[in-house]
Amino acid sequence: MAKALAIHGGEKAVRSDPGDAFTWPIITEEDEQAVLEVLRRGGMSGVDVTQQFEKDFAQWHSMEYALGCSSGTAALQSAMWACGVRIGDEIIAPSLTYWASALPAFSLQATMVFADIDPNTACIDPGDIEHRITERTKAIVPVHYWGHPADMDPIMEIAKKHDLKVIEDVSHAHGGLYKGRLVGTIGHVGAMSVMSGKSLAVGEGGMLLTNDRQIWERCIAWGHYGRTRATQWTGESEAPVITDPELTPYVGLPWGGYKYRMHQLSSAVGRVQLTHYRDRMEEIQAAMNYFWDLLSDVPGVREHRPPMGSGSTMGGWYAAHGLYEAEELGGLPLSKFAEAVRAEGTTCSPGANFPMHLHPLLNEADIYGHGKPTRIASSDRDLRQGEGSLPVTEAMPGRCYSIPWFKHYRPEIIEQHALAYRKVAENAEALLED
Ligand SMILES: *Cc1c(COP(=O)(O)O)cnc(C)c1O
């Protein structure tokens, strides 16, 4: 049995200074040089570095087309429009995610219907999608939440059956695999943030990936006016970027009235980060998998990762979380468990994103002056979802907690942090008495 808990005056499980174990992103002189090069020649608003970044990114994913954007939000909104989301249309998305997975639908005069999540993956539950499809549904937006790949095979099957587009939100899972395939390459389009908090961290920015020329052209036409007149290749062949006859009459102005060009200080960092990302991601995976391996026999705590041997991985483990089973610890409330774990010197914050379907902006706000809530402004039915409508989603914030996000495989550090969790779980009875 472990010694007295730190919260009761015992020695802390975590004794070593973590050093740079958690530092992210990893910035070296190479990143600095790349930024200075752009800065000194005044290339901040150009597209040459961004196009190189797009090429690198597409190549990594073996995809035809990539498009750098000013943010992940911009990428997602562009993808929705490019997938045909128009006035009164519906997208189906999880409610438990960063808002940009769904909220941009409002700006297209469209709306969203939320599906529940799977209690183990925390990603959209494929079994809860089909009954929500109507004639207005245009797209499904699975999110690879906290790095865990969503169950894409059944989602793609449903989409095919109902002629829907699938927009993967890859903001948490760059480089992650679903049954051996890179996430972002499975849906009709992958859209993601590469802002500096994410696992592929380049600054403010977003990226789109697709093999569908029409989607790519529409995304350019939507928010990249400067590229609509451009040619695709420089060299002997000069095919124009915009070839879709629906789009060609309008080149020169953006359909969206938006300007979504990526800042080239971001794309310069992005190119450098990308050359190291796979190695760094593998080290993160080794570290995080070791952390969970150490806890596999500990009651109350449950790993959030795909089973070994499934061919699926967690990418860079962005926003790494664990799941909690209070009944295995005599009903100890998560808040008490987490407080004791933190007292041992590690990370353990309960909670997740606020479920969007319960937020008043999704239920009450009249954003565009329709005289009724924007959520139902162009609908012929009230598709708002009240408390109790998505039980797994609503329970999740009360049964999950952040865990330390190791960037380096340093067993002695990881062991101390894992011990913090083990010690508290094994002494849960002492906490129940408090
Ligand atoms: C961060 C994030 C976004 C939005 O990206 P920004 O670059 O911040 O606009 C979208 N979806 C998810 C799931 C995110 O975590």
Side-chain angles (χ1 to χ4, degrees), residues 71-73 76 97-98 100-101 143 169 171-172 193 195 198 205 318:
S71 69
T73 305
L76 281 153
T97 174
Y98 183 74
S101 310
V143 183
D169 185 342
S171 305
H172 292 190
S193 174
M195 57 81 74
K198 304 286 156 78
Y318 172 75

